[in-house]
Amino acid sequence: MIDASRPGPSRAAGAASPLFLRDAEVRRGIELLYFGYASMIRGADRILAERGLGRAHHRALYFIARRPGLAVSDLLRLLAITKQSLSRVLADLVRHGLVESRVGEEDRRQRRLRLTEEGAELEAELFEALRERVAGAYAQAGQEAVSGFWAVLTGLIPPQDRALVLSLDRDPRGRRESAGG
Amino acid sequence: MIDASRPGPSRAAGAASPLFLRDAEVRRGIELLYFGYASMIRGADRILAERGLGRAHHRALYFIARRPGLAVSDLLRLLAITKQSLSRVLADLVRHGLVESRVGEEDRRQRRLRLTEEGAELEAELFEALRERVAGAYAQAGQEAVSGFWAVLTGLIPPQDRALVLSLDRDPRGRRESAGG
DNA sequence: CAATATAGGTCAATATGATTGACGCATCTC
DNA sequence: GAGATGCGTCAATCATATTGACCTATATTG
C-alpha cells in the first residue's frame, strides 16, 4: 500500500539526490507554505470582515497601493482572474469610496486606478497587520534566512511570470502616472 | 498623500531597524509568498479540474495521505473550516471512491479516514505536480536557502499553531492506526 | 477614411467553497 | 444515568470565481 513516505514515481528510494530534495523535505515546504500564508493573512481578514470586504478586495487594494495609476488590464494580469470577477470587486471598492479610476491621459481607453485617501488608510491598516507578522518572522529568522526565503519562493514562480512579480519592486512611486505627460 | 513606500505608522523613516525589516522587504515577502504559493498549486489545479474536483478536495486528500487513519476532527483542526464544509468535501471524495472511513477501533464514535488505492494514486499524481516545482526551487536555491525558507515560514505561524503543523512530520507512517491495536 | 484591434464594462447563468446555528444519534466517560 | 464528545445533516446564505457573448469608446494601421 502506498503511503505518504513512499518514494516518488520515477525516483529510486535511496538515490543520489541531496537530503533536502526528498519527499519529506518537499512535504515540509508545502505545509509550511500553506500554513504560513494562511497565518500571514489571518489578521487582515478580521479587518476586512469589519467592513464587509473580502480577500479579493484586499488583493486589489494591495496592488493598487503598490502601483498607483495602474490600468485595469495590469491588475487583471496580476490577479489572474477574469474581467467579470475583477469588475465586481472594483465596483465595490469604488462604491465604498476606497478606489477611484480616471481616464488615462496617454491612452483614453484605459482606466487608471488609484486609492482615495480613505482607501490608502485602509490599505495601510491592512498592510500593518501583515507587516507585523512578516517583520516578526524576519527578525526571528535573521537576514540570511530571509535571503533563502526569497530565493526559494522566486524559484517556485515560473520564469515567464517572474518578471511581472519582480517588476512590482521597481519604480515604486508609480512615476508613469505623471512622467512623460 | 500616502504611497506604497511610506514608512509604517509608529516608525520613523530611516530608523535603526535592520534593512530587511523595511516595508520594501516586507512587501517583497508578501508578494513572493502570494505568487509562489499560487505557482506551486497551479499544476495540481489542472489535474483536479479533469476530475471535477477542487482545491478543497486536494487539501483533504493531502492530509489524509499524510496522516492515514486520522479522525474527522483532526482534519477539521488542520483545515480550519467548519464541519459542514468538510462534510460535503468528504462526501464527494467517498462518492468518487477516493477515501474511505472506518469506525475507530478504540473510540467507535470516530471515523478514521484513509485513501483507497485509487485515492492514493490520485494523491501521488497531485503530489508529483507539487514536488516537481518545490524540488526544482530547492535545487536552484540550495540547501542553506531552504533552511532559511523554513525558518521564516515557521516564524509566520503563531506559536500556538506551530506544534500542530510540525506534528505532521512525526510518525509519518500513521502508526496510530495499527499500533497498540 | 475604413477596417481592425484593444481597453473596458456588462449581461446572464453557473460553480465552488465557505459560513452560521440548530438538531439528532451513537458512543464514551464519570 | 447524566453529561460530554464525535460525527452527520438540515436550511439558508455569502464570497469568489467561472464562461461566453455583446457593447462602447478609443487607438492603430492600411
PDB file of all heavy atoms in Angstrom, chain B residues 54-57 59 82 85 107-109, chain C residues 16-23 26-28:
ATOM      1  N   GLY B  54     -11.911  20.138  -6.687  1.00  0.00           N
ATOM      2  CA  GLY B  54     -11.341  21.457  -6.445  1.00  0.00           C
ATOM      3  C   GLY B  54     -10.248  21.408  -5.398  1.00  0.00           C
ATOM      4  O   GLY B  54      -9.845  20.334  -4.938  1.00  0.00           O
ATOM      5  N   ARG B  55      -9.775  22.580  -5.032  1.00  0.00           N
ATOM      6  CA  ARG B  55      -8.683  22.656  -4.061  1.00  0.00           C
ATOM      7  C   ARG B  55      -9.066  22.102  -2.703  1.00  0.00           C
ATOM      8  O   ARG B  55      -8.229  21.548  -1.996  1.00  0.00           O
ATOM      9  CB  ARG B  55      -8.255  24.113  -3.880  1.00  0.00           C
ATOM     10  CG  ARG B  55      -7.479  24.625  -5.050  1.00  0.00           C
ATOM     11  CD  ARG B  55      -6.959  26.009  -4.767  1.00  0.00           C
ATOM     12  NE  ARG B  55      -6.461  26.583  -6.014  1.00  0.00           N
ATOM     13  CZ  ARG B  55      -6.055  27.830  -6.151  1.00  0.00           C
ATOM     14  NH1 ARG B  55      -6.098  28.641  -5.107  1.00  0.00           N
ATOM     15  NH2 ARG B  55      -5.601  28.267  -7.301  1.00  0.00           N
ATOM     16  N   ALA B  56     -10.308  22.285  -2.347  1.00  0.00           N
ATOM     17  CA  ALA B  56     -10.754  21.789  -1.046  1.00  0.00           C
ATOM     18  C   ALA B  56     -10.562  20.273  -0.990  1.00  0.00           C
ATOM     19  O   ALA B  56     -10.126  19.728   0.026  1.00  0.00           O
ATOM     20  CB  ALA B  56     -12.203  22.161  -0.803  1.00  0.00           C
ATOM     21  N   HIS B  57     -10.883  19.602  -2.090  1.00  0.00           N
ATOM     22  CA  HIS B  57     -10.700  18.159  -2.136  1.00  0.00           C
ATOM     23  C   HIS B  57      -9.220  17.794  -2.043  1.00  0.00           C
ATOM     24  O   HIS B  57      -8.846  16.831  -1.386  1.00  0.00           O
ATOM     25  CB  HIS B  57     -11.293  17.604  -3.431  1.00  0.00           C
ATOM     26  CG  HIS B  57     -12.750  17.886  -3.608  1.00  0.00           C
ATOM     27  ND1 HIS B  57     -13.212  18.894  -4.428  1.00  0.00           N
ATOM     28  CD2 HIS B  57     -13.849  17.331  -3.046  1.00  0.00           C
ATOM     29  CE1 HIS B  57     -14.536  18.926  -4.374  1.00  0.00           C
ATOM     30  NE2 HIS B  57     -14.950  17.992  -3.536  1.00  0.00           N
ATOM     31  N   ARG B  59      -6.821  19.471  -0.557  1.00  0.00           N
ATOM     32  CA  ARG B  59      -6.307  19.641   0.802  1.00  0.00           C
ATOM     33  C   ARG B  59      -6.682  18.453   1.681  1.00  0.00           C
ATOM     34  O   ARG B  59      -5.851  17.944   2.445  1.00  0.00           O
ATOM     35  CB  ARG B  59      -6.842  20.942   1.400  1.00  0.00           C
ATOM     36  CG  ARG B  59      -6.235  22.172   0.745  1.00  0.00           C
ATOM     37  CD  ARG B  59      -6.485  23.424   1.579  1.00  0.00           C
ATOM     38  NE  ARG B  59      -7.859  23.885   1.501  1.00  0.00           N
ATOM     39  CZ  ARG B  59      -8.306  24.761   0.597  1.00  0.00           C
ATOM     40  NH1 ARG B  59      -7.496  25.233  -0.326  1.00  0.00           N
ATOM     41  NH2 ARG B  59      -9.566  25.149   0.610  1.00  0.00           N
ATOM     42  N   THR B  82     -15.375  24.703   8.749  1.00  0.00           N
ATOM     43  CA  THR B  82     -16.458  24.184   9.575  1.00  0.00           C
ATOM     44  C   THR B  82     -16.779  22.740   9.194  1.00  0.00           C
ATOM     45  O   THR B  82     -16.455  22.262   8.107  1.00  0.00           O
ATOM     46  CB  THR B  82     -17.727  25.033   9.410  1.00  0.00           C
ATOM     47  OG1 THR B  82     -18.090  25.025   8.037  1.00  0.00           O
ATOM     48  CG2 THR B  82     -17.493  26.446   9.864  1.00  0.00           C
ATOM     49  N   SER B  85     -18.667  22.352   5.920  1.00  0.00           N
ATOM     50  CA  SER B  85     -17.867  22.470   4.700  1.00  0.00           C
ATOM     51  C   SER B  85     -17.109  21.182   4.435  1.00  0.00           C
ATOM     52  O   SER B  85     -17.085  20.670   3.313  1.00  0.00           O
ATOM     53  CB  SER B  85     -16.868  23.615   4.830  1.00  0.00           C
ATOM     54  OG  SER B  85     -17.528  24.832   4.952  1.00  0.00           O
ATOM     55  N   ASP B 107     -12.116   4.203  19.761  1.00  0.00           N
ATOM     56  CA  ASP B 107     -13.278   5.050  20.043  1.00  0.00           C
ATOM     57  C   ASP B 107     -14.229   4.926  18.857  1.00  0.00           C
ATOM     58  O   ASP B 107     -13.976   5.456  17.789  1.00  0.00           O
ATOM     59  CB  ASP B 107     -12.820   6.496  20.241  1.00  0.00           C
ATOM     60  CG  ASP B 107     -13.973   7.402  20.645  1.00  0.00           C
ATOM     61  OD1 ASP B 107     -15.135   7.055  20.348  1.00  0.00           O
ATOM     62  OD2 ASP B 107     -13.712   8.463  21.244  1.00  0.00           O
ATOM     63  N   ARG B 108     -15.310   4.219  19.077  1.00  0.00           N
ATOM     64  CA  ARG B 108     -16.189   3.912  17.962  1.00  0.00           C
ATOM     65  C   ARG B 108     -17.031   5.105  17.501  1.00  0.00           C
ATOM     66  O   ARG B 108     -17.779   5.002  16.536  1.00  0.00           O
ATOM     67  CB  ARG B 108     -17.086   2.727  18.319  1.00  0.00           C
ATOM     68  CG  ARG B 108     -16.296   1.427  18.524  1.00  0.00           C
ATOM     69  CD  ARG B 108     -17.168   0.300  19.068  1.00  0.00           C
ATOM     70  NE  ARG B 108     -18.482   0.235  18.417  1.00  0.00           N
ATOM     71  CZ  ARG B 108     -18.710  -0.314  17.221  1.00  0.00           C
ATOM     72  NH1 ARG B 108     -17.721  -0.852  16.546  1.00  0.00           N
ATOM     73  NH2 ARG B 108     -19.927  -0.333  16.738  1.00  0.00           N
ATOM     74  N   ARG B 109     -16.897   6.238  18.191  1.00  0.00           N
ATOM     75  CA  ARG B 109     -17.562   7.442  17.683  1.00  0.00           C
ATOM     76  C   ARG B 109     -16.788   8.040  16.513  1.00  0.00           C
ATOM     77  O   ARG B 109     -17.333   8.723  15.662  1.00  0.00           O
ATOM     78  CB  ARG B 109     -17.650   8.509  18.779  1.00  0.00           C
ATOM     79  CG  ARG B 109     -18.573   8.147  19.906  1.00  0.00           C
ATOM     80  CD  ARG B 109     -18.444   9.144  21.023  1.00  0.00           C
ATOM     81  NE  ARG B 109     -17.052   9.242  21.500  1.00  0.00           N
ATOM     82  CZ  ARG B 109     -16.646  10.057  22.462  1.00  0.00           C
ATOM     83  NH1 ARG B 109     -17.514  10.868  23.040  1.00  0.00           N
ATOM     84  NH2 ARG B 109     -15.400  10.070  22.850  1.00  0.00           N
TER      85      ARG B 109
ATOM     86  P    DT C  16     -18.345  22.627  -9.424  1.00  0.00           P
ATOM     87  OP1  DT C  16     -17.362  21.811 -10.131  1.00  0.00           O
ATOM     88  OP2  DT C  16     -19.562  22.043  -8.823  1.00  0.00           O
ATOM     89  O5'  DT C  16     -17.597  23.423  -8.276  1.00  0.00           O
ATOM     90  C5'  DT C  16     -16.511  24.248  -8.614  1.00  0.00           C
ATOM     91  C4'  DT C  16     -16.111  24.979  -7.368  1.00  0.00           C
ATOM     92  O4'  DT C  16     -17.049  26.013  -7.074  1.00  0.00           O
ATOM     93  C3'  DT C  16     -16.058  24.072  -6.137  1.00  0.00           C
ATOM     94  O3'  DT C  16     -14.731  24.181  -5.674  1.00  0.00           O
ATOM     95  C2'  DT C  16     -17.135  24.651  -5.204  1.00  0.00           C
ATOM     96  C1'  DT C  16     -17.225  26.092  -5.693  1.00  0.00           C
ATOM     97  N1   DT C  16     -18.494  26.834  -5.490  1.00  0.00           N
ATOM     98  C2   DT C  16     -18.418  28.126  -5.004  1.00  0.00           C
ATOM     99  O2   DT C  16     -17.359  28.660  -4.725  1.00  0.00           O
ATOM    100  N3   DT C  16     -19.621  28.768  -4.861  1.00  0.00           N
ATOM    101  C4   DT C  16     -20.877  28.272  -5.140  1.00  0.00           C
ATOM    102  O4   DT C  16     -21.876  28.942  -4.976  1.00  0.00           O
ATOM    103  C5   DT C  16     -20.885  26.920  -5.653  1.00  0.00           C
ATOM    104  C7   DT C  16     -22.198  26.286  -5.991  1.00  0.00           C
ATOM    105  C6   DT C  16     -19.709  26.272  -5.797  1.00  0.00           C
ATOM    106  P    DG C  17     -14.120  23.256  -4.547  1.00  0.00           P
ATOM    107  OP1  DG C  17     -12.691  23.143  -4.877  1.00  0.00           O
ATOM    108  OP2  DG C  17     -14.939  22.056  -4.301  1.00  0.00           O
ATOM    109  O5'  DG C  17     -14.244  24.215  -3.289  1.00  0.00           O
ATOM    110  C5'  DG C  17     -13.647  25.493  -3.349  1.00  0.00           C
ATOM    111  C4'  DG C  17     -14.138  26.296  -2.187  1.00  0.00           C
ATOM    112  O4'  DG C  17     -15.498  26.705  -2.430  1.00  0.00           O
ATOM    113  C3'  DG C  17     -14.177  25.499  -0.871  1.00  0.00           C
ATOM    114  O3'  DG C  17     -13.400  26.208   0.081  1.00  0.00           O
ATOM    115  C2'  DG C  17     -15.644  25.444  -0.498  1.00  0.00           C
ATOM    116  C1'  DG C  17     -16.194  26.654  -1.217  1.00  0.00           C
ATOM    117  N9   DG C  17     -17.619  26.614  -1.517  1.00  0.00           N
ATOM    118  C8   DG C  17     -18.364  25.578  -2.014  1.00  0.00           C
ATOM    119  N7   DG C  17     -19.639  25.873  -2.154  1.00  0.00           N
ATOM    120  C5   DG C  17     -19.726  27.188  -1.721  1.00  0.00           C
ATOM    121  C6   DG C  17     -20.852  28.046  -1.626  1.00  0.00           C
ATOM    122  O6   DG C  17     -22.026  27.812  -1.920  1.00  0.00           O
ATOM    123  N1   DG C  17     -20.490  29.303  -1.129  1.00  0.00           N
ATOM    124  C2   DG C  17     -19.220  29.676  -0.779  1.00  0.00           C
ATOM    125  N2   DG C  17     -19.055  30.910  -0.312  1.00  0.00           N
ATOM    126  N3   DG C  17     -18.160  28.881  -0.858  1.00  0.00           N
ATOM    127  C4   DG C  17     -18.493  27.656  -1.330  1.00  0.00           C
ATOM    128  P    DA C  18     -12.993  25.482   1.416  1.00  0.00           P
ATOM    129  OP1  DA C  18     -11.613  25.897   1.669  1.00  0.00           O
ATOM    130  OP2  DA C  18     -13.338  24.052   1.351  1.00  0.00           O
ATOM    131  O5'  DA C  18     -13.974  26.136   2.488  1.00  0.00           O
ATOM    132  C5'  DA C  18     -13.778  27.473   2.844  1.00  0.00           C
ATOM    133  C4'  DA C  18     -15.064  28.207   3.119  1.00  0.00           C
ATOM    134  O4'  DA C  18     -16.059  28.019   2.108  1.00  0.00           O
ATOM    135  C3'  DA C  18     -15.848  27.827   4.366  1.00  0.00           C
ATOM    136  O3'  DA C  18     -15.181  28.240   5.541  1.00  0.00           O
ATOM    137  C2'  DA C  18     -17.100  28.663   4.122  1.00  0.00           C
ATOM    138  C1'  DA C  18     -17.247  28.605   2.598  1.00  0.00           C
ATOM    139  N9   DA C  18     -18.394  27.802   2.180  1.00  0.00           N
ATOM    140  C8   DA C  18     -18.407  26.519   1.710  1.00  0.00           C
ATOM    141  N7   DA C  18     -19.612  26.078   1.405  1.00  0.00           N
ATOM    142  C5   DA C  18     -20.445  27.143   1.695  1.00  0.00           C
ATOM    143  C6   DA C  18     -21.834  27.326   1.592  1.00  0.00           C
ATOM    144  N6   DA C  18     -22.671  26.381   1.134  1.00  0.00           N
ATOM    145  N1   DA C  18     -22.338  28.512   1.979  1.00  0.00           N
ATOM    146  C2   DA C  18     -21.510  29.453   2.443  1.00  0.00           C
ATOM    147  N3   DA C  18     -20.177  29.401   2.585  1.00  0.00           N
ATOM    148  C4   DA C  18     -19.707  28.211   2.184  1.00  0.00           C
ATOM    149  P    DT C  19     -15.741  27.795   6.953  1.00  0.00           P
ATOM    150  OP1  DT C  19     -14.718  28.141   7.944  1.00  0.00           O
ATOM    151  OP2  DT C  19     -16.240  26.414   6.844  1.00  0.00           O
ATOM    152  O5'  DT C  19     -17.002  28.755   7.184  1.00  0.00           O
ATOM    153  C5'  DT C  19     -16.828  30.173   7.111  1.00  0.00           C
ATOM    154  C4'  DT C  19     -18.181  30.834   7.250  1.00  0.00           C
ATOM    155  O4'  DT C  19     -19.022  30.428   6.144  1.00  0.00           O
ATOM    156  C3'  DT C  19     -18.944  30.414   8.496  1.00  0.00           C
ATOM    157  O3'  DT C  19     -18.627  31.317   9.535  1.00  0.00           O
ATOM    158  C2'  DT C  19     -20.393  30.535   8.086  1.00  0.00           C
ATOM    159  C1'  DT C  19     -20.366  30.356   6.573  1.00  0.00           C
ATOM    160  N1   DT C  19     -20.937  29.067   6.092  1.00  0.00           N
ATOM    161  C2   DT C  19     -22.282  29.005   5.860  1.00  0.00           C
ATOM    162  O2   DT C  19     -23.030  29.929   6.080  1.00  0.00           O
ATOM    163  N3   DT C  19     -22.724  27.812   5.373  1.00  0.00           N
ATOM    164  C4   DT C  19     -21.971  26.690   5.084  1.00  0.00           C
ATOM    165  O4   DT C  19     -22.491  25.681   4.627  1.00  0.00           O
ATOM    166  C5   DT C  19     -20.562  26.819   5.367  1.00  0.00           C
ATOM    167  C7   DT C  19     -19.639  25.669   5.096  1.00  0.00           C
ATOM    168  C6   DT C  19     -20.124  27.990   5.846  1.00  0.00           C
ATOM    169  P    DT C  20     -18.921  30.837  11.048  1.00  0.00           P
ATOM    170  OP1  DT C  20     -18.314  31.868  11.898  1.00  0.00           O
ATOM    171  OP2  DT C  20     -18.555  29.417  11.189  1.00  0.00           O
ATOM    172  O5'  DT C  20     -20.504  30.904  11.193  1.00  0.00           O
ATOM    173  C5'  DT C  20     -21.180  32.126  10.935  1.00  0.00           C
ATOM    174  C4'  DT C  20     -22.649  31.934  11.258  1.00  0.00           C
ATOM    175  O4'  DT C  20     -23.224  31.027  10.287  1.00  0.00           O
ATOM    176  C3'  DT C  20     -22.888  31.316  12.643  1.00  0.00           C
ATOM    177  O3'  DT C  20     -23.827  32.117  13.317  1.00  0.00           O
ATOM    178  C2'  DT C  20     -23.409  29.913  12.353  1.00  0.00           C
ATOM    179  C1'  DT C  20     -23.964  30.019  10.937  1.00  0.00           C
ATOM    180  N1   DT C  20     -23.798  28.798  10.109  1.00  0.00           N
ATOM    181  C2   DT C  20     -24.881  28.263   9.453  1.00  0.00           C
ATOM    182  O2   DT C  20     -25.994  28.735   9.522  1.00  0.00           O
ATOM    183  N3   DT C  20     -24.597  27.154   8.701  1.00  0.00           N
ATOM    184  C4   DT C  20     -23.380  26.539   8.544  1.00  0.00           C
ATOM    185  O4   DT C  20     -23.254  25.549   7.840  1.00  0.00           O
ATOM    186  C5   DT C  20     -22.280  27.154   9.268  1.00  0.00           C
ATOM    187  C7   DT C  20     -20.911  26.571   9.166  1.00  0.00           C
ATOM    188  C6   DT C  20     -22.543  28.234  10.004  1.00  0.00           C
ATOM    189  P    DG C  21     -24.052  31.993  14.886  1.00  0.00           P
ATOM    190  OP1  DG C  21     -24.616  33.288  15.337  1.00  0.00           O
ATOM    191  OP2  DG C  21     -22.843  31.425  15.505  1.00  0.00           O
ATOM    192  O5'  DG C  21     -25.209  30.902  14.977  1.00  0.00           O
ATOM    193  C5'  DG C  21     -26.386  31.103  14.230  1.00  0.00           C
ATOM    194  C4'  DG C  21     -27.275  29.916  14.425  1.00  0.00           C
ATOM    195  O4'  DG C  21     -26.968  28.910  13.431  1.00  0.00           O
ATOM    196  C3'  DG C  21     -27.085  29.234  15.786  1.00  0.00           C
ATOM    197  O3'  DG C  21     -28.359  28.844  16.251  1.00  0.00           O
ATOM    198  C2'  DG C  21     -26.226  28.022  15.441  1.00  0.00           C
ATOM    199  C1'  DG C  21     -26.829  27.669  14.079  1.00  0.00           C
ATOM    200  N9   DG C  21     -26.030  26.776  13.250  1.00  0.00           N
ATOM    201  C8   DG C  21     -24.677  26.563  13.255  1.00  0.00           C
ATOM    202  N7   DG C  21     -24.286  25.672  12.378  1.00  0.00           N
ATOM    203  C5   DG C  21     -25.458  25.273  11.748  1.00  0.00           C
ATOM    204  C6   DG C  21     -25.684  24.328  10.725  1.00  0.00           C
ATOM    205  O6   DG C  21     -24.862  23.633  10.126  1.00  0.00           O
ATOM    206  N1   DG C  21     -27.031  24.240  10.384  1.00  0.00           N
ATOM    207  C2   DG C  21     -28.034  24.956  10.981  1.00  0.00           C
ATOM    208  N2   DG C  21     -29.274  24.729  10.540  1.00  0.00           N
ATOM    209  N3   DG C  21     -27.843  25.842  11.937  1.00  0.00           N
ATOM    210  C4   DG C  21     -26.535  25.951  12.278  1.00  0.00           C
ATOM    211  P    DA C  22     -28.623  28.380  17.745  1.00  0.00           P
ATOM    212  OP1  DA C  22     -29.158  29.525  18.499  1.00  0.00           O
ATOM    213  OP2  DA C  22     -27.443  27.636  18.257  1.00  0.00           O
ATOM    214  O5'  DA C  22     -29.792  27.335  17.514  1.00  0.00           O
ATOM    215  C5'  DA C  22     -30.558  27.400  16.316  1.00  0.00           C
ATOM    216  C4'  DA C  22     -30.793  25.999  15.804  1.00  0.00           C
ATOM    217  O4'  DA C  22     -29.649  25.552  15.041  1.00  0.00           O
ATOM    218  C3'  DA C  22     -30.997  24.964  16.911  1.00  0.00           C
ATOM    219  O3'  DA C  22     -32.296  24.422  16.807  1.00  0.00           O
ATOM    220  C2'  DA C  22     -29.902  23.924  16.662  1.00  0.00           C
ATOM    221  C1'  DA C  22     -29.548  24.149  15.206  1.00  0.00           C
ATOM    222  N9   DA C  22     -28.175  23.750  14.880  1.00  0.00           N
ATOM    223  C8   DA C  22     -27.014  24.218  15.448  1.00  0.00           C
ATOM    224  N7   DA C  22     -25.924  23.666  14.961  1.00  0.00           N
ATOM    225  C5   DA C  22     -26.403  22.770  14.008  1.00  0.00           C
ATOM    226  C6   DA C  22     -25.753  21.877  13.147  1.00  0.00           C
ATOM    227  N6   DA C  22     -24.429  21.731  13.100  1.00  0.00           N
ATOM    228  N1   DA C  22     -26.524  21.125  12.325  1.00  0.00           N
ATOM    229  C2   DA C  22     -27.848  21.281  12.382  1.00  0.00           C
ATOM    230  N3   DA C  22     -28.577  22.080  13.148  1.00  0.00           N
ATOM    231  C4   DA C  22     -27.781  22.811  13.946  1.00  0.00           C
ATOM    232  P    DC C  23     -32.942  23.611  17.990  1.00  0.00           P
ATOM    233  OP1  DC C  23     -34.385  23.907  17.968  1.00  0.00           O
ATOM    234  OP2  DC C  23     -32.129  23.806  19.203  1.00  0.00           O
ATOM    235  O5'  DC C  23     -32.736  22.116  17.511  1.00  0.00           O
ATOM    236  C5'  DC C  23     -33.168  21.750  16.205  1.00  0.00           C
ATOM    237  C4'  DC C  23     -32.585  20.407  15.866  1.00  0.00           C
ATOM    238  O4'  DC C  23     -31.193  20.572  15.530  1.00  0.00           O
ATOM    239  C3'  DC C  23     -32.614  19.407  17.019  1.00  0.00           C
ATOM    240  O3'  DC C  23     -33.623  18.444  16.755  1.00  0.00           O
ATOM    241  C2'  DC C  23     -31.210  18.796  17.039  1.00  0.00           C
ATOM    242  C1'  DC C  23     -30.580  19.335  15.770  1.00  0.00           C
ATOM    243  N1   DC C  23     -29.111  19.562  15.879  1.00  0.00           N
ATOM    244  C2   DC C  23     -28.244  18.806  15.077  1.00  0.00           C
ATOM    245  O2   DC C  23     -28.722  17.968  14.308  1.00  0.00           O
ATOM    246  N3   DC C  23     -26.898  18.996  15.161  1.00  0.00           N
ATOM    247  C4   DC C  23     -26.423  19.914  16.003  1.00  0.00           C
ATOM    248  N4   DC C  23     -25.110  20.075  16.045  1.00  0.00           N
ATOM    249  C5   DC C  23     -27.284  20.696  16.831  1.00  0.00           C
ATOM    250  C6   DC C  23     -28.608  20.485  16.740  1.00  0.00           C
ATOM    251  P    DA C  26     -28.706   5.727  16.863  1.00  0.00           P
ATOM    252  OP1  DA C  26     -29.014   4.711  15.830  1.00  0.00           O
ATOM    253  OP2  DA C  26     -29.475   5.798  18.123  1.00  0.00           O
ATOM    254  O5'  DA C  26     -27.165   5.593  17.243  1.00  0.00           O
ATOM    255  C5'  DA C  26     -26.190   5.721  16.210  1.00  0.00           C
ATOM    256  C4'  DA C  26     -24.836   5.842  16.846  1.00  0.00           C
ATOM    257  O4'  DA C  26     -24.728   7.131  17.498  1.00  0.00           O
ATOM    258  C3'  DA C  26     -24.540   4.787  17.925  1.00  0.00           C
ATOM    259  O3'  DA C  26     -23.300   4.199  17.564  1.00  0.00           O
ATOM    260  C2'  DA C  26     -24.471   5.573  19.227  1.00  0.00           C
ATOM    261  C1'  DA C  26     -24.101   6.977  18.742  1.00  0.00           C
ATOM    262  N9   DA C  26     -24.584   8.084  19.558  1.00  0.00           N
ATOM    263  C8   DA C  26     -25.865   8.326  19.957  1.00  0.00           C
ATOM    264  N7   DA C  26     -26.003   9.432  20.662  1.00  0.00           N
ATOM    265  C5   DA C  26     -24.719   9.945  20.718  1.00  0.00           C
ATOM    266  C6   DA C  26     -24.188  11.098  21.319  1.00  0.00           C
ATOM    267  N6   DA C  26     -24.922  11.986  22.005  1.00  0.00           N
ATOM    268  N1   DA C  26     -22.865  11.326  21.193  1.00  0.00           N
ATOM    269  C2   DA C  26     -22.134  10.444  20.503  1.00  0.00           C
ATOM    270  N3   DA C  26     -22.513   9.322  19.881  1.00  0.00           N
ATOM    271  C4   DA C  26     -23.835   9.135  20.035  1.00  0.00           C
ATOM    272  P    DT C  27     -22.736   2.956  18.328  1.00  0.00           P
ATOM    273  OP1  DT C  27     -21.844   2.228  17.397  1.00  0.00           O
ATOM    274  OP2  DT C  27     -23.843   2.276  19.038  1.00  0.00           O
ATOM    275  O5'  DT C  27     -21.829   3.677  19.406  1.00  0.00           O
ATOM    276  C5'  DT C  27     -20.798   4.556  18.951  1.00  0.00           C
ATOM    277  C4'  DT C  27     -20.219   5.296  20.123  1.00  0.00           C
ATOM    278  O4'  DT C  27     -21.173   6.227  20.646  1.00  0.00           O
ATOM    279  C3'  DT C  27     -19.813   4.399  21.301  1.00  0.00           C
ATOM    280  O3'  DT C  27     -18.406   4.453  21.371  1.00  0.00           O
ATOM    281  C2'  DT C  27     -20.498   5.036  22.513  1.00  0.00           C
ATOM    282  C1'  DT C  27     -20.813   6.436  21.983  1.00  0.00           C
ATOM    283  N1   DT C  27     -21.928   7.168  22.624  1.00  0.00           N
ATOM    284  C2   DT C  27     -21.663   8.384  23.221  1.00  0.00           C
ATOM    285  O2   DT C  27     -20.562   8.883  23.260  1.00  0.00           O
ATOM    286  N3   DT C  27     -22.751   9.006  23.781  1.00  0.00           N
ATOM    287  C4   DT C  27     -24.051   8.539  23.803  1.00  0.00           C
ATOM    288  O4   DT C  27     -24.938   9.191  24.336  1.00  0.00           O
ATOM    289  C5   DT C  27     -24.258   7.266  23.173  1.00  0.00           C
ATOM    290  C7   DT C  27     -25.643   6.676  23.147  1.00  0.00           C
ATOM    291  C6   DT C  27     -23.200   6.640  22.614  1.00  0.00           C
ATOM    292  P    DC C  28     -17.554   3.548  22.287  1.00  0.00           P
ATOM    293  OP1  DC C  28     -16.365   3.084  21.549  1.00  0.00           O
ATOM    294  OP2  DC C  28     -18.443   2.584  22.977  1.00  0.00           O
ATOM    295  O5'  DC C  28     -17.069   4.615  23.366  1.00  0.00           O
ATOM    296  C5'  DC C  28     -16.317   5.740  22.926  1.00  0.00           C
ATOM    297  C4'  DC C  28     -16.172   6.743  24.056  1.00  0.00           C
ATOM    298  O4'  DC C  28     -17.464   7.303  24.345  1.00  0.00           O
ATOM    299  C3'  DC C  28     -15.655   6.137  25.361  1.00  0.00           C
ATOM    300  O3'  DC C  28     -14.558   6.916  25.796  1.00  0.00           O
ATOM    301  C2'  DC C  28     -16.854   6.215  26.308  1.00  0.00           C
ATOM    302  C1'  DC C  28     -17.627   7.408  25.741  1.00  0.00           C
ATOM    303  N1   DC C  28     -19.085   7.381  26.008  1.00  0.00           N
ATOM    304  C2   DC C  28     -19.694   8.483  26.636  1.00  0.00           C
ATOM    305  O2   DC C  28     -19.000   9.457  26.968  1.00  0.00           O
ATOM    306  N3   DC C  28     -21.034   8.456  26.868  1.00  0.00           N
ATOM    307  C4   DC C  28     -21.749   7.394  26.503  1.00  0.00           C
ATOM    308  N4   DC C  28     -23.065   7.423  26.745  1.00  0.00           N
ATOM    309  C5   DC C  28     -21.157   6.265  25.868  1.00  0.00           C
ATOM    310  C6   DC C  28     -19.828   6.298  25.645  1.00  0.00           C
TER     311       DC C  28
END
